[in-house]
Amino acid sequence: MATIPLMEVDNTWDDPRKRAPLVTGNHDYKSVTDLVADVAERPHPPMAWYALFAVSLGLLGFLGFCIGYLLLTGVGVWGVNQPVAWGFAIINFVFWVGIGHAGTLISAILFLFRQNWRTAINRFAEAMTIFAVVCAGMFPGIHIGRVWLAYWLFPIPNQMAMWPQFRSPLLWDVFAVGTYFTVSLLFWYVGLIPDIATFRDRATNKIKQGIYGFFALGWNGSTRHWHRYERAYLILAALSTPLVLSVHSVVSFDFAVSQLPGWHTTILPPYFVAGAIFSGFGMVLTLAIPARELFGLKEIITLRHLDNMNKIILATGTMVGYAYSMEFFIAWYSGVEVERFTFISRAMGPYAAAYWTMFICNAFVPQIFWFKWARTNIPLMFVVSLLVNLGMWFERYVIVVTSLSSDFLMSSWWPYRATWVDYGMLIGSFGLFFTLFLLFCRFLPIVAIAEVKAVMPRPHSLGHGHGHSHGHGAAHRAEAH
Amino acid sequence: MPSLKPASDDQMLWRSLDELEGSPRVRDWVEREFVSYVPEEMRSPNRRQFLKLAGASAALAGLTGCRWPREEILPHSRLPDNRIPGEPVLFATSMERNGCGIGVLATSVDGRPIKLDGNDLHPLSLGKSDVFMQAAVLDLYDPDRSKSPISKLARQAANAAGGWAEFDAYAGPLFEKVRAAKGAGCLILSEVSDSPLMADMRKRVADALPEAKFVEWSPLSSVGVSAGTASAFGEPMRPMADLSRADVIVSIDRDFLAYGPTAIRYAADFAKRRKPVDGKISRLYMADAGLSLTGAIADLRLKVKPSQLAGFVCGLIAALRDAGVAIDAWASDAGSALADAAKSAPHADAIKQIAKDIAEHRGHAVLMAGAHLPAPIHAAVAAINAAIAGDLVTYFADPRKGRSIGAEALASAAAQLSSGSVQTLIILGGNPAFDAPAELKLADAIAKAPNSIHLSEYDNETSRLCTWHCNRAHLLEAWGATRAFDGTVSIVQPLIAPLYEGRTPAELISALLGERGMSSYSLTRRALGDVGGTAVVDDVSWNRALHDGVFAPGGKGEKPSARGGSWCGELCGLATGAKAEGFEIAFRPDYRINAGEWANNPWLQELPEPLTKLTWDNAALIAPSDASRLNVRNGAMIRIEQGGTNITLPIFILPGQVAGLITLLMGYGRSAAGVVGDEIGFNVYPLRRAESLWSATGAKVSATGAKHQLVTAQDHHMMESDVGKAQTQKRLPELVREYRIEEYNDDPTGAHHVVHLPTLQSLWQDPQYGPHRWAMAIDLGGCIGCNACVVACQAENNIPVVGKQEVEMGREMHWLRIDRYFRGENPEEARVAFQPVMCQHCELAPCESVCPVAATVHDSEGLNVMVYNRCIGTRYCSNNCPFKVRRFNWFFNHHGPQHPRSLKQGTVGFPNWKQPSLTPQKLLNDIQKMQHNPDVTVRSRGVMEKCTFCIQRISKEKIRAKNEWVGADSATRGETYHIADGTITTACQDACPTSAIHFGDLGDPKSAVSQLRKDPRSYALLAQLNVKPRVEYLARVTNPGPLGGQPKLHGSHGGHSGGAHGEGAGGHDSDTHAASQPASAH
């Protein structure tokens, strides 16, 4: 399938008289189902999948090794130290939570705003969210000094008659991330049900049928089912929407509520949310571009989708850039010497390289998306998406490390140097993420089949009046079977 | 301290035990009980053996506690009176350092000495201590201590075990021969000791073995004072100044606050005059060859090279004469020579001012000179003091008169050794093979002696050259006596049975003399019987001496009259003969390990050097200008060539160091110190020569291009970067506040105007505490940066040592640190600011609100307490602590993976489910654990810890007070229990020689701490954060006089370029500045 060369169809026009198609190619409902289901049903995934999976699994194994070493030895194996008591673990946590924002934003907020183009990307964006939050959730768990007591963070009735301390932002984190994960998972799963049922119905052996059947919850596509499904989906979308804003706001409270110069700023919640969406879309792009190539989904995840996402990256990147500048202004305007120094030292001190990496990647690089040629240039946008990920990781690094390493008393200033375990766990967390993602690609519908059909032209008009698409000579899927 | 009163009860008890012992059945039983006692067990005891040992040591301490000098180890068949298990008991003892005694109060819990503090009845300690006294207890439990005698043969055979029995078999006939030869061919090389016990032994050696030679050597001993006073008075004397009455102190390179046998006393007296009383404080001028702690806090520090010091004194004499101070002893014929010499004096203007100052304060001015300086300077100082010091300086008889001490004596001993005429060499303590002047080649000389015996606590460099090494008893294990600088005699009493059967030098000499069965106790008792002319010391006065820690007071001292002498010419000769070529070198004992004898003490190795903040290393200290001239940076290796020898070591650029001078810290680079002290730092002794022990000129310095990793506990490059430096100077006036006495007199609250606080209000009703509100006040005017508090805290609170690499990571565990900043834009002229920082116990503690599991909370008395059991180690509290005083256990920290013992001695390692660790880790053995304070939790991996205000001491005193109240008559006892101010002290407070740290109850308006917080100098650190710290600092008041430039009244505001402050002197009420910015920049 994927071997058939597909020409990129430009559906990114802005002519208001003509609605741009969200699915290109001469697709009907069946061919869409075939196309998506084929990813999971073909006997062997592409070689690239195997290669990627092997690498990811290797990294995951390394992560496991690092965690084992950490747990048996102590958090001293990291580079954390006295003023800089938080290091890569928290940086990675915030980074992954941020990534986890795009999925729910695409699924929930865009759903509520009736942005139909979301349908092509929402499924795997949501999956990405779940997996990112899994990666994120791991870090606070293992970063504490006595991991075996991590459950004390949860409000579990216990013989000590102790509750957690509700004033601590870390506890808010537990609630915020926990809720977010739960709701995202539910939302994702509910959306999956009709498609899992499709897989069940197409299953070629008993085992697959049984497993898909179990998760399809007896879906039979009746109108009653559809009705309840739509309701449930809408409600979950409504529930998820505030969460998109709340999670990263709460994560930002870890910093904003403390009194450390550089952390103690009111701009952090909106700044974090914008950054999270920014990095989330960056990651969606990073995943979507190879995935559509690899699994032949260019007609569902079209150039227009990518174009739209680039616009969001441009918007949020600009917001983030504004936040960076505003931080500087406020630090100067506040007149607080330590605050001023924190920002001057960010830009000119020992961590200037990290700071400027962040600034350039996040605030400057996305500006290229003001140009349409850039928004539709796939290699370019892939590079940009990688830089966005890089920049956003450095943003967290800058926030966590620079503020901690030089605060109020000069005598306590001390640098932070990551150890191999730090780097190992950062890379390993990508292993975890990609392992989960590749498994998802292999076994679950990576595009919301049912929803995509809803944004396709109605069946009676199939084959008529779609000369535009035909004109581009896209291959006929039916023939390919 | 146990009271003297129940002495009669004791006697009753012991009389009955005596009776018991008399019966054959009991005697038999006692013998059987310990028939299996072998010291071997103590090297690596298992639980059972440990309990035995603990019990035995408890029993022995009990015996000493009851003043019962029996040395058998007995279990408590009945608990002695006045002994409560777990209740600490204090014993007065004393320790000797560089030959001079100092009073010690040892805390013992169930027979384990766990902490040493100063003895308040001892005139040279006054209850205060220093780093060495605090750290000494750790040496007792050091696993590297030598555990049995060992011969060279046994060493070579590797499997042959040594032991006292073997040694006695060897030494018996040998000593017999020595005695038969009247000591001919016998050389005793002892560390310097003024102890009356050793004096007695020396006398006995001289009587019985007239041919034997007795030489004393310590790398820090100096004959300058003796010779100088002898030249001035005709008799060697020991000068001692009363600094508590001195208005003007001029120190000629005398680091009197931090170094020398009188340091603690001097620091205490000096600090008394640093609090403004009637608008006055004393003034300290320091001619500093290098940067010393005394120089660091001097009001006016004059940088002088060692070769210029004589010229400086000449200049001062000339200036004093001009100022009308007649120096009687000054020979008139030296007039023109003096005028010539005075011309070479550096800082001519300053000297004029100093002389003027001295003249104005005649009778209240004191001159001091470093003990290492040559005799003519001491003679001159004695003569000047006779004219200016009134009765401030008194002189004590010099017990070293007539003894062979110092480099010259050692040189003759070395010559004798080299000539092969020494048959028997006995070395008592010390480490001459390591620390003797290099050109004597003492190591080779020692090897030439056919029989050599070294008695030492450690099997050190010298031991390894000797035929036999014998293990010496620790000062807490055996009896002895000390003589303090002022002649005060104290007894050294053991608190624990010798862990490894060590013997004392006196016992070894006693064996040499052929005395039979003399224990350290009987020797001490015999020696002290002769002190003060009384033949026999009766038990009552003996017990009193033991209880007080003072056997015979030193007397008031005398004031001999000076006479003219030849010293004037010599002084002028010194001044004019000084050569100025190449670099000058000054040797300085290290503030952490002194001359190297403390090298194996991990507390001291990890202690940040007060000025450089270096840990686990030494370096060549050079001035910033020299560094840039040589084009080297911190840690660059340089080769120093002088007098035909050279050493290579790293440099440390020390702001304020004298340009053209390299200060070398002695004592490092040991090769046989022990697991902790080996191969740390660089040995500078090879450059030291007998004729110039303390300084040298004409050194050639070149950079080798190599680098060495120097680790400091402060001062990272962020602080060193341009941005950081500028910021440091900006914030410093606000953090470590100081103002001049003129400014203080003009407006005592001036320290508050450094920063203008907005109206600080809480959004909520602040919690109310009571009845106690513990708080601390720290007088920055008193802090001399000596580190005694840091080690005291470490000893009291079971604080682990983490090792060099962990310090490099920023993971040192000290709960109390001393922040050291350099003041001033120009690093050459930098001044030093010290600030001890511990947990500030904020009332609105930022650490508490962020802890997700409520592991750090406030108690009802306003203490910020840390609940270790509840802590899961999120470390958020540390992030949110503006003072960064919290410390986290990144590993199992008692011998964590980077501790030298773990690095060098292997590992418990994995799999060990009790303490799993994949990194090499050696665990504390049971003997090491005996040092731990049982009242303080030993923290595990993964929990946060911090200063508790010594909460265990607070609790103990509260329990005592409550029990007393409950037991008291209900009619008269009052409504509630009462704790008198000063009853509870923290460990740092106890240790502080200058009493800069005050702890007490804010609930008691009369308490010292309540009063001090009302002092206009009192301010809170980072008050703008409104965290309401319970620790407040008292701004330092300085008194540099006219040489310090014009006082800029109210001009010291942070960030000001001067004069921009448009406000008058009065009416500075913090609320009126509500509109100002919260930080200093406005």
Side-chain angles (χ1 to χ4, degrees), chain A residues 65 68-87 89-90 140 142-154 158 160 162-171 174 253-261 263 333-342 344-345 348-351 400 402-417 419, chain B residues 709 711-719 721 723-725 727-732 735 806-813 817 819-821 835 837 846-854 856 867-876 878-892 897 910 913 915-919 921 940-944 1021-1022 1024-1025 1027 1077-1081:
Chain A
F65 168 75
Y69 180 50
L70 172 89
L71 298 190
L72 287 168
T73 307
V75 281
V77 301
W78 288 334
V80 270
N81 59 26
Q82 210 48 63
V84 192
W86 285 356
I90 297 295
I142 57 171
H143 109 285
I144 63 172
R146 301 203 291 170
V147 183
W148 48 98
L149 298 176
Y151 69 95
W152 286 359
L153 285 165
F154 297 95
N158 56 61
M160 295 176 284
M162 288 274 305
W163 289 113
Q165 215 261 96
F166 290 99
R167 287 184 301 168
S168 169
L170 284 189
L171 189 68
V174 170
F253 290 163
D254 287 350
F255 307 102
V257 167
S258 81
Q259 59 173 354
L260 207 65
W263 284 13
Y333 186 69
S334 72
V336 179
E337 191 56 46
V338 285
E339 192 79 21
R340 287 182 181 182
F341 174 71
T342 298
I344 290 170
S345 112
M348 291 154 68
Y351 296 102
V400 170
T402 60
S403 291
L404 283 172
S405 67
S406 48
D407 69 340
F408 297 97
L409 301 186
M410 295 81 75
S411 61
S412 302
W413 292 359
W414 206 256
Y416 170 79
R417 272 192 316 274
T419 62
Chain B
Q709 185 194 34
V711 172
T712 61
Q714 209 184 298
D715 285 350
H716 187 256
H717 62 86
M718 279 192 286
M719 211 165 146
S721 70
V723 192
K725 265 185 201 152
Q727 184 69 21
T728 302
Q729 291 310 319
K730 230 171 185 179
R731 286 189 205 173
L732 193 50
L735 299 178
E806 287 290 286
V807 177
E808 206 273 330
M809 292 279 278
R811 292 173 177 174
E812 64 274 20
M813 295 300 290
R817 62 171 199 261
D819 288 352
R820 187 273 289 115
Y821 301 106
Q835 184 171 44
V837 181
C847 50
E848 290 172 11
S849 60
V850 297
C851 174
V853 290
T856 183
V867 189
Y868 304 127
N869 282 348
R870 181 69 185 163
C871 179
I872 62 171
T874 67
R875 312 188 288 285
Y876 200 173
S878 169
N879 287 349
N880 211 26
C881 172
F883 309 99
K884 290 288 177 284
V885 288
R886 293 179 155 260
R887 298 288 177 262
F888 188 70
N889 288 280
W890 305 98
F891 298 104
F892 283 114
F910 184 78
W913 295 111
Q915 290 194 335
S917 171
L918 283 175
T919 48
Q921 182 139 19
S940 175
R941 163 193 149 190
V943 300
M944 193 59 84
L1021 200 54
L1022 300 177
Q1024 67 268 30
L1025 297 175
V1027 292
Q1077 298 302 335
S1080 64

Side-chain angles (χ1 to χ4, degrees), chain B residues 274-276 281 733-741 744 747-754 777-783 823 834-835 996 1012 1015-1020 1032-1038 1052:
Chain B
R274 300 301 290 182
K275 301 176 186 81
I281 63 170
E734 183 193 325
L735 299 178
V736 192
R737 298 184 192 174
E738 67 168 41
Y739 45 176
R740 291 174 54 171
I741 185 76
Y744 173 83
D747 175 14
T749 64
H752 291 274
H753 305 313
V754 175
I778 299 173
D779 188 348
L780 294 178
C783 183
R823 242 185 245 279
F834 292 116
Q835 184 171 44
L1012 284 170
D1015 190 298
R1017 293 191 288 142
S1018 184
Y1019 70 95
E1032 288 206 348
Y1033 293 88
L1034 275 73
R1036 179 167 177 244
V1037 180
T1038 62
S1052 60

Side-chain angles (χ1 to χ4, degrees), chain B residues 223-246:
Chain B
V223 292
V225 183
S226 302
T229 45
S231 159
F233 303 124
E235 249 326 81
M237 305 292 267
R238 287 183 156 178
M240 192 155 165
D242 182 358
L243 298 184
S244 66
R245 290 186 294 132

Side-chain angles (χ1 to χ4, degrees), chain A residues 87-124:
Chain A
F88 270 30
I90 297 295
I91 296 166
N92 297 344
F93 160 70
V94 181
F95 172 73
W96 282 116
V97 170
I99 301 259
H101 271 63
T104 312
L105 177 99
I106 291 167
S107 326
I109 295 184
L110 298 187
F111 176 75
L112 294 182
F113 283 106
R114 299 284 182 254
Q115 294 295 308
N116 288 338
W117 61 275
R118 66 178 268 284
T119 54
I121 53 170
N122 76 334
R123 171 64 45 72
F124 76 81

Side-chain angles (χ1 to χ4, degrees), chain A residues 372-389:
Chain A
K372 188 171 175 185
W373 62 264
R375 291 201 302 272
T376 53
N377 181 331
I378 288 175
L380 179 77
M381 73 176 81
F382 188 65
V383 170
V384 171
S385 78
L386 290 178
L387 288 178
V388 165
N389 286 320

